[in-house]
Amino acid sequence: MIVHEKQDNPDTANRLDGMKQGVLGTAMSRIDGLAKVTGTALYAAEYSADNCAEGVLATATITRGVVNAIDKKAALALPGVIAVIDDPRLTTRAAQGTADEAPQQDPARVCYWGQPIALVVAETFEQARHAAKHLVVDYGEEVDAPVDPEAVKPEEQTEETVSQGDLDAAMSAAAHAVDVTFTTKGHASAAMEPHAAIASWNGDDLTVHASLQMLNYNITELADALGIPEQRIRLIARYVGGGFGSKLGISEEVVAAAIAAQEIGRPVRVVMTRQHVFQAIMRRSESTQRLRLCVDAAGKLTGFGHHALVSNLPGEEFAEPVLQSSHFLYAGANRELKLELARIHRMTAGSVRAPGEAVGMPALECAMDMLAEAAGIDPVKLRLMNIPEKDPEKGLPFSSHTLADCLTQAAKAFGWDHGLRKPRQTRKGEWWIGTGMASAARVHNVMEAKARVTLKADGTAVVETDMTDIGTGTYTIAAQIVGEMLGLAPDRVLVDLGDSRHPRGPGSGGSWGAPSIGSALYVACKAIREELAKRLDIDEPDLALRNGATSSGTQLTELLRGEDLARVGHYEPGAISEDFTASGFGAFFAQVRVNAFTGETRVDRMLGAFGFGRVLNRKTARSQCLGGITWSIGTALTEALEFDPRDGHLVNGDLAEYHVPVNRDVPDLDVILVEERDAAASPIQAKGIGELGMCGGAAAIGNAIYNASGARVLDFPMTPDRVIAAMPD
Amino acid sequence: MTRSISVNGAAHPLPNDPRVSLLDFLRDGLRLTGTKKGCDHGQCGACTVIVNGIRINSCLTLAAMHEDDEVTTIEGLGTPDAPSPLQQAFLEHDGFQCGYCTPGQICSATALLDEIASNWPSDASGDLVGTLTLSDEEIRERMSGNLCRCGAYANIVAAIRDVAEQRT
Ligand code: FES
Ligand code: FES
């Protein structure tokens, strides 16, 4: 039985708080944790399939043009080679998140250097790799493909454009103003598990083990790419070794494995190399951002301007939504916001953890620091003074607003000095030492989701949904929500995720996973509770369940009368999505030291306070925040995709040359969870936390670099060469 | 005569194809998939295993080079029923999220504790000779060959510190 609930109004009943099991929100360890620490959790490439052949992708070595011919004969003559697949249905890019249709196909048409053009299939991986590497390809190259985002005329993304009042006039009339341009380099998701798929056919039925974030969309995308009905497809992704946006859409190896397996009549496994993942999945676009901010003599924002230029391939709809939180974070009556997209032939740009805010917030928050200095106001106070009452563009109320709380609590815990700030006040040996802060914001979304909960006759429960756990903790919070609602210890709840045969969840992306799937589980459990209450002849709210029994001692097993009780919860956000501006908020504080001679920056301590509604699990929520702060450190100091200016190819496409933070780059981190109940966020009053932790953190570090050394660096990442160049003598 | 390798105490014949890395031999040849492939180029540490007591990146070495060597993988350190102290500590401290780097982290940490015990210095050690103590900075330095994109470093350090303290 499906129970549908569409949420048009805030849910202030906070029903979960009245439940008796007392397990939700606790710091329970992950229920999938033992499998992970003992190496028994199976990821996509690790399933066994009888008689499985190995496929390796071959990629283009031109920027734009056509594949005239592939010398298949030469490849097939190599030991072990079974087939060279260049079927026109092969996909050449990963689908964008929530695309719900096949991405670009036709591998003979090359749009970027590194694009997949064929799949070589052999008996062993070593044979396939060798043959793919030596594949002889004849190209018809179209020269002079544009690869520099600054050198083409960009397209305005008009739905992002805002023009209110007169910003130019406000800037000239203001007591204090900053007009500053930042740049950010591209980023890679670099999830530790490379994309992988094992495809096998049974007649017309296809089963694929893959590493994907959103099976609910991926199944449609795959069906569309293959030209078969999705009912014929089963996608499985029980463990996913990180996603960070890179596994939102169906990726090339999945489609290639499926086509190859059909063609050779055997299962085929395709695992991307690390270089494939870097080149052929998604980059976060680089950005150029101009910030114009001005205040009156009291420090109130009178003008707010944010203009960003990003890039993508021709034909891609995605434009890094740099301005996403700028639309509502701060007041300012005179507003100019504009996002432009340059069409160039670098690899596909798409979602990388916290698309938009990940680079928009660092630029905005460094500009705010400069404004605070210009106005002679404590940067914490400047932010507190400019928190708008309601959305400054749409006029909507906020679903909840924790920015002030986060700023205040974090400043206190960090020991922030609210006095007059001047750079270069502390020096120890070679090192300048200083502090900086920034606000955090990340829009909140909640999505339609379905999940089945079955209360078994034996008093245990089973959760079934195609929702994934990409390290986010879905397995664990699902057991906690169901345990809380049905009065079961979480070890009595079996959670079965990542199988497209199950009801469709929301997918893991955009930080909406936990609130959305949690809401579907809540709806299902509430319906089960109603049935149980009916059997007891009481009202559902009066049903108190704990450890498998009612408060009056009736065992659940008795109430079930030897039969399972199953409900599919179908949650759908209704008017709440339009009636409120909803966001997670937070604050970052950092202390850094900057080497006076080399420009090297080390983060010595960092603290973040985050408000994201109800905390479902204190341990996994904190880990999400730690992960986000770690990404903030990478964004601030080391992460940069570099492209060859001649042909646009990614130069540093591996983990040696693209520098994600390593253990020693990350100091002790403090996280404060500013818990609240956001009634308009979801019926479980929770918002997402997967991305908030990196939305602005890089600015806290950048501002601390300035406070320490006097180097105001306007380009991310703030590598030693840039810090030295910006440092006063 | 077949050449063999010992993995978690059991002898196995080495593969015929000399191109097979130790990592691929473990994962595909022996189906010990706990050892992960993150880069295949010695850049991430996901493939860390312990060979004759020393941790190495198993993607950077060929299986054929390990005749008679003793290899310990994550499966040899503990099981879901009997996890090792480090495996237990990683679980309690949430020293992972997606879990993909985790077997490599735990193999590294296991060998790290032995490196400290045998006073093997690192960049973070004050001195090249003498008795080492396990500071957080020592842990961070020695674990820096194991990337974690989920960013669980702070919890990984806490887990290792915990086990090291129990030992002393
Ligand atoms: S797989 Fe061996 S170091 Fe990355
Ligand atoms: S737990 Fe995901 S990479 Fe470390």
Side-chain angles (χ1 to χ4, degrees), chain A residues 343-404:
Chain A
R343 295 289 182 191
I344 55 166
H345 289 264
R346 291 180 182 175
M347 57 174 284
T348 322
S351 294
V352 175
R353 195 177 196 174
E357 285 94 332
V359 287
M361 285 294 296
L364 169 59
E365 289 299 295
C366 282
M368 284 293 281
D369 201 62
M370 297 169 78
L371 183 65
E373 186 182 37
I377 298 174
D378 169 38
V380 177
K381 191 167 164 221
L382 178 69
R383 286 163 174 89
L384 287 170
M385 286 174 66
N386 286 291
I387 298 174
E389 290 285 314
K390 51 187 173 60
D391 186 313
E393 291 172 12
K394 296 187 193 146
L396 293 174
F398 290 101
S399 67
S400 77
H401 211 302
T402 54
L403 181 54

Side-chain angles (χ1 to χ4, degrees), chain A residues 394-630:
Chain A
K394 296 187 193 146
L396 293 174
F398 290 101
S399 67
S400 77
H401 211 302
T402 54
L403 181 54
D405 277 350
C406 290
L407 286 165
T408 315
Q409 289 189 32
K412 184 154 180 264
F414 186 80
W416 181 256
D417 178 354
H418 292 276
L420 189 63
R421 292 171 62 73
K422 266 176 69 182
R424 293 195 156 204
Q425 297 302 300
T426 311
R427 172 98 179 231
K428 277 198 189 133
E430 293 184 359
W431 300 89
W432 291 109
I433 294 169
T435 56
M437 58 77 56
S439 299
R442 169 73 184 162
V443 291
H444 162 72
N445 290 299
V446 64
M447 305 292 270
E448 185 173 6
K450 287 187 198 146
R452 181 185 300 113
V453 177
T454 306
L455 189 53
K456 309 283 278 185
D458 65 2
T460 63
V462 177
V463 171
E464 292 165 310
T465 160
D466 75 349
M467 179 60 181
T468 51
D469 184 332
I470 60 173
T472 37
T474 318
Y475 279 107
T476 310
I477 58 124
Q480 286 176 286
I481 292 168
V482 171
E484 193 63 48
M485 289 293 288
L486 300 183
L488 298 172
D491 63 1
R492 309 280 288 164
V493 183
L494 180 79
V495 184
D496 186 356
L497 301 180
D499 186 334
S500 66
R501 290 189 311 187
H502 295 328
R504 291 194 181 173
S508 299
S511 294
W512 63 59
S516 308
I517 196 65
S519 297
L521 292 169
Y522 171 80
V523 170
C525 289
K526 203 151 54 93
I528 289 176
R529 288 174 54 87
E530 270 155 19
E531 175 59 29
L532 294 173
K534 203 161 88 194
R535 293 180 190 182
L536 282 164
D537 210 13
I538 59 173
D539 291 335
E540 185 270 323
D542 296 332
L543 179 66
L545 293 172
R546 190 157 183 275
N547 291 331
T550 66
S551 51
S552 53
T554 313
Q555 296 295 312
L556 275 179
T557 43
E558 273 173 62
L559 283 176
L560 289 164
R561 307 172 195 140
E563 275 175 27
D564 295 353
L565 178 54
R567 293 288 183 271
V568 173
H570 176 191
Y571 170 76
E572 200 183 340
I576 52 154
S577 298
E578 284 91 56
D579 292 352
F580 296 91
T581 292
S583 176
F585 294 98
F588 299 96
F589 288 77
Q591 180 182 317
V592 306
R593 75 197 129 96
V594 180
N595 191 290
F597 302 107
T598 67
E600 179 187 5
T601 300
R602 307 297 299 169
V603 180
D604 279 338
R605 66 191 178 103
M606 200 156 167
L607 178 147
F610 305 103
F612 49 98
R614 182 192 295 277
V615 176
L616 302 173
N617 179 316
R618 307 193 76 73
K619 191 181 281 189
T620 56
R622 179 173 172 274
S623 289
Q624 286 279 46
C625 299
L626 292 176
I629 296 175
T630 302

Side-chain angles (χ1 to χ4, degrees), chain A residues 105-128:
Chain A
Q105 294 176 283
D106 187 11
R109 173 89 222 151
V110 177
C111 288
Y112 63 96
W113 201 102
Q115 172 197 305
I117 51 170
L119 182 79
V120 179
V121 186
E123 295 294 339
T124 71
F125 166 65
E126 289 76 14
Q127 292 164 338

